[in-house]
Amino acid sequence: MSGTVLLLPSPLVGPAAYAVLAEAFRANGRSATVAALPRQVRSGQDVIDTFRRAVAEYSPELVVAHSNAGLVAPAVADGIPIVFMDAALPPSSGECAMAPPAMMSHLEGLADDGGLLPQWTLWWDAADVAPLFPDEATRHRVEADLPRLPLAYFRTSVRPPDCWESGPRAYLAFGETYADELAGARRLGWPTSVVDGGLHLHHLHDPSGVARLVLDLAATLAGDARAGRSV
């Protein structure tokens, strides 16, 4: 594979957090771009519509979806290989809420009187957030781009395409944050890789290493396709 890599940013984090990873893909000889988010993120369908426009514009040969973007990636990729990067996964079929019920109770306690949530880094204890960033300069740059989402966004749902799990899919986990999703990917026989001890924004710490891991997974998908295997 030598075509464009399209990075789907988490709507909670914003595109600026993925600029260094896009640069790392370019350093590996790949064209790469970060999809924009909707001007106003009101629903999962808003995100799907905006990401679909990016797919139509850039015609990527690989989609990389991080975190919450994993829920919408199957509806966006339309047969394009996907590497889920420390990402949530939609169910095999049926409606998929943009946040699990266990998280909704936490978010409801954070929303202001207008139903607007604080920036994502303020959802958690400061001691847990600080290690996510390699340095203060990176943190300031990323936090300047963090959106404030409405609580209502997480009450919306999307529906993944039928049989989406049987397409060309792979999973890259940063540590154990998405252990259940990693286990599910392994059960499905997807190519997987794990950054032991990695945190959720590990691509900020080691963009070159993450880019290589993603491309290795993509190469495995391409090899499986040439061999005529279902992956």
Side-chain angles (χ1 to χ4, degrees):
M1 299 177 68
S2 59
T4 297
V5 177
L6 180 65
L7 300 169
L8 303 184
S10 169
L12 288 65
V13 178
Y18 306 90
V20 292
L21 183 55
E23 286 294 335
F25 281 117
R26 295 180 196 122
N28 277 273
R30 300 293 296 270
S31 174
T33 192
V34 183
L37 289 172
R39 188 178 299 272
Q40 289 186 316
V41 179
R42 297 164 298 184
S43 69
Q45 189 61 49
D46 287 342
V47 178
I48 287 175
D49 292 343
T50 300
F51 285 173
R52 279 178 174 164
R53 287 193 288 272
V55 168
E57 179 178 358
Y58 297 105
S59 300
E61 290 190 9
L62 177 67
V63 166
V64 180
H66 181 241
S67 195
N68 190 256
L71 299 177
V72 302
V76 170
D78 193 23
I80 303 165
I82 305 172
V83 175
F84 293 90
M85 186 176 74
D86 219 41
L89 297 177
S92 298
S93 61
E95 293 291 323
C96 171
M98 300 311 294
M103 179 176 281
M104 284 303 303
S105 59
H106 175 64
L107 297 181
E108 287 166 355
L110 296 175
D112 64 19
D113 292 341
L116 198 62
L117 292 164
Q119 292 178 315
W120 174 71
T121 50
L122 297 176
W123 296 5
W124 320 107
D125 291 339
D128 295 327
V129 171
L132 296 175
F133 300 94
D135 51 59
E136 282 300 311
T138 301
R139 178 170 183 170
H140 290 323
R141 174 173 51 79
V142 171
E143 287 189 323
D145 193 48
L146 288 179
R148 292 189 63 189
L149 299 183
L151 179 63
Y153 165 76
F154 295 98
R155 293 186 172 129
T156 68
S157 62
V158 297
R159 181 181 288 272
D162 294 338
C163 303
W164 71 268
E165 294 168 320
S166 63
R169 314 289 185 236
Y171 201 95
L172 172 59
F174 298 153
E176 300 180 355
T177 304
Y178 284 92
D180 290 344
E181 287 77 4
L182 175 63
R186 286 171 168 164
R187 285 194 299 271
L188 290 166
W190 296 358
T192 63
S193 187
V194 182
V195 177
D196 291 329
L199 298 175
H200 191 48
L201 300 182
H202 185 72
H203 59 280
L204 295 175
H205 292 258
D206 184 15
S208 296
V210 169
R212 287 192 297 271
L213 288 172
V214 168
L215 293 176
D216 285 347
L217 289 169
T220 300
L221 292 177
D224 287 338
R226 286 193 296 270
R229 290 174 50 194
S230 175
V231 296

